[in-house]
Amino acid sequence: MKRPLLALACLSLSATQALASNEFSASVLAQSEARQASHGNPLGLGDSQHHFQQADLRWQVDGPWQQALRGNVSARHDHDDSTLLQVNELTLESPLAGGFLTAGKKIMSWDVGYAFRPLDVVQQEDRRALNPATLQGIPMLAQEAFDEDHALTMVLSNPGRGKAAQPRDDEALAMRLYRHRGERDEYAVLRVSQRNGLEAGASFSHVLNEGTELHASLLWQQKHEEWRQQRWLAAGRGGKALAGFTWTTENQFSLIGEAWLDRSVASPQQRNVFLRAAQNWDNFDLAADVLWQPASQSKVGTIAASWKQGPWLFSASLRQYYGMAGILTRRLAIASIQRSF
């Protein structure tokens, strides 16, 4: 019996001809992770190493009457010989009422932030994870209508689930309004769910000049829950706020700075300051960032490098934890090799 990675590779080769008139891409990723535990961590965890290989297949098939079938499937094989075949996206899009109706599982991100994204009320993913795994979409029905300067999106996510075990799996009805005005992009978001009641938010991204951009987000929640005592507990009204900037030079040096408040997490982790510097030299990228939590004096520092040569991508990252952030893990290192087709 073929392993999932080999089977997916065979599928990729056969699909190249079948989808020649449509969009098709594939990639294979091999990654190794080494984790150094903190001394005296409360769970008694020790040092560990983890390896896995993953293949991704993406496609788009255009049908009649402007319909399109899009998909993204991953096959993963871990060092313990466990395997996983996962559908990250699978949607059918069809024209409807001056826009498009989408049915299926889709990745849908709404905010303008980088390290923290308050208005990602549909997707809700960890954007600072070192592991570059493909995002998992959300089961949904979505209607999108747009023109040159405006867009309106209505989403019913996780239909029929009600309040699930995790917030990203909750059934919810959400809406986003987008408007483009000169050098500014503006967004407004509404969402209703059993867990959070009514949520309302707004964000913007404003380009000051060729190298500088400012962005901010604000989300108000009628009610929210915090992860405490290994479960979600009701905690009254909540909110999230973000302010940040990006600055890029002609020599491809860039800075990202952000500060945010997140009422949905424990008190020592609610206030955060993030700074990231990166330099690009053609096919080589080098970046370093630090996340600081003033209340607990915790710091998380990361340095990463990547080199792209044709279809190959080589990358390595090292993350160091200080203070309360390092209770379980002191250091995390990841190296990966990726080949695209």
Side-chain angles (χ1 to χ4, degrees):
M1 181 177 178
K2 296 179 180 178
R3 288 183 175 180
L5 287 183
L6 181 57
L8 188 56
C10 294
L11 176 61
S12 301
L13 293 176
S14 62
T16 303
Q17 294 180 343
L19 303 181
S21 61
N22 300 280
E23 296 182 12
F24 166 82
S25 65
S27 65
V28 177
L29 171 72
Q31 181 168 296
S32 178
E33 173 185 314
R35 173 185 172 277
Q36 181 180 357
S38 296
H39 296 296
N41 67 74
L43 299 183
L45 300 175
D47 297 349
S48 63
Q49 291 187 346
H50 186 80
H51 316 279
F52 73 87
Q53 300 84 41
Q54 178 172 310
D56 287 343
L57 174 64
R58 301 171 183 267
W59 71 88
Q60 175 179 324
V61 180
D62 296 324
W65 305 293
Q66 295 183 300
Q67 292 182 333
L69 178 66
R70 295 184 173 89
N72 179 343
V73 177
S74 296
R76 172 167 168 158
H77 177 74
D78 281 87
H79 71 295
D80 59 0
D81 285 332
S82 63
T83 57
L84 175 66
L85 184 64
Q86 180 172 279
V87 178
N88 301 310
E89 283 191 296
L90 183 61
T91 63
L92 177 64
E93 294 184 1
S94 180
L96 180 66
F100 283 88
L101 176 67
T102 300
K105 191 175 184 181
K106 184 177 182 179
I107 297 171
M108 186 170 285
S109 302
W110 280 359
D111 207 354
V112 296
Y114 292 86
F116 183 62
R117 300 168 62 89
L119 297 195
D120 270 0
V121 294
V122 176
Q123 193 63 42
Q124 301 178 357
E125 300 281 355
D126 182 5
R127 296 306 174 116
R128 294 199 65 248
L130 280 183
N131 189 331
T134 306
L135 293 179
Q136 289 189 52
I138 305 295
M140 68 176 67
L141 290 172
Q143 169 68 18
E144 300 177 83
F146 51 87
D147 58 28
E148 291 184 357
D149 297 316
H150 303 82
L152 176 63
T153 305
M154 300 286 295
V155 178
L156 174 61
S157 59
N158 298 303
R161 289 191 178 179
K163 183 178 178 180
Q166 296 296 328
R168 79 180 303 274
D169 299 322
D170 287 347
E171 180 181 13
L173 181 64
M175 178 187 74
R176 183 183 73 161
L177 177 64
Y178 163 76
R179 180 173 64 175
H180 175 71
R181 293 201 306 171
E183 303 299 327
R184 181 191 297 258
D185 292 327
E186 300 172 341
Y187 305 85
V189 168
L190 286 175
R191 181 176 183 262
V192 180
S193 66
Q194 183 179 347
R195 185 187 304 268
N196 299 114
L198 177 65
E199 297 175 274
S203 67
F204 75 88
S205 174
H206 183 77
V207 179
L208 291 180
N209 51 53
E210 292 185 358
T212 308
E213 175 267 353
L214 303 177
H215 57 270
S217 304
L218 179 65
L219 180 71
W220 173 83
Q221 298 172 306
Q222 183 181 15
K223 55 184 179 177
H224 81 288
E225 295 182 346
E226 294 180 2
W227 182 254
R228 290 183 284 124
Q229 303 173 8
Q230 301 301 310
R231 57 178 175 162
W232 292 101
L233 299 175
R237 292 181 180 177
K240 304 177 183 182
L242 164 79
F245 73 91
T246 63
W247 178 63
T248 306
T249 70
E250 294 182 357
N251 296 325
Q252 302 187 68
F253 174 79
S254 62
L255 280 177
I256 298 175
E258 292 184 334
W260 67 84
L261 173 66
D262 182 4
R263 295 291 191 189
S264 67
V265 297
S267 297
Q269 302 171 338
Q270 290 184 358
R271 299 178 186 274
N272 296 264
V273 179
F274 175 77
L275 183 64
R276 181 181 189 271
Q279 177 67 57
N280 170 260
W281 296 277
D282 296 327
N283 296 333
F284 183 74
D285 290 284
L286 181 64
D289 65 59
V290 60
L291 175 67
W292 175 46
Q293 296 173 342
S296 65
Q297 292 300 308
S298 293
K299 297 182 181 67
V300 181
T302 307
I303 185 169
S306 64
W307 178 57
K308 191 176 189 309
Q309 184 62 39
W312 293 94
L313 176 64
F314 304 86
S315 61
S317 303
L318 177 64
R319 178 165 287 178
Q320 183 79 32
Y321 299 84
Y322 304 90
M324 288 187 61
I327 290 179
L328 298 179
T329 302
R330 180 183 178 187
R331 185 178 295 112
L332 182 64
I334 291 178
S336 63
I337 302 174
Q338 183 171 338
R339 174 69 158 84
S340 300
F341 300 89

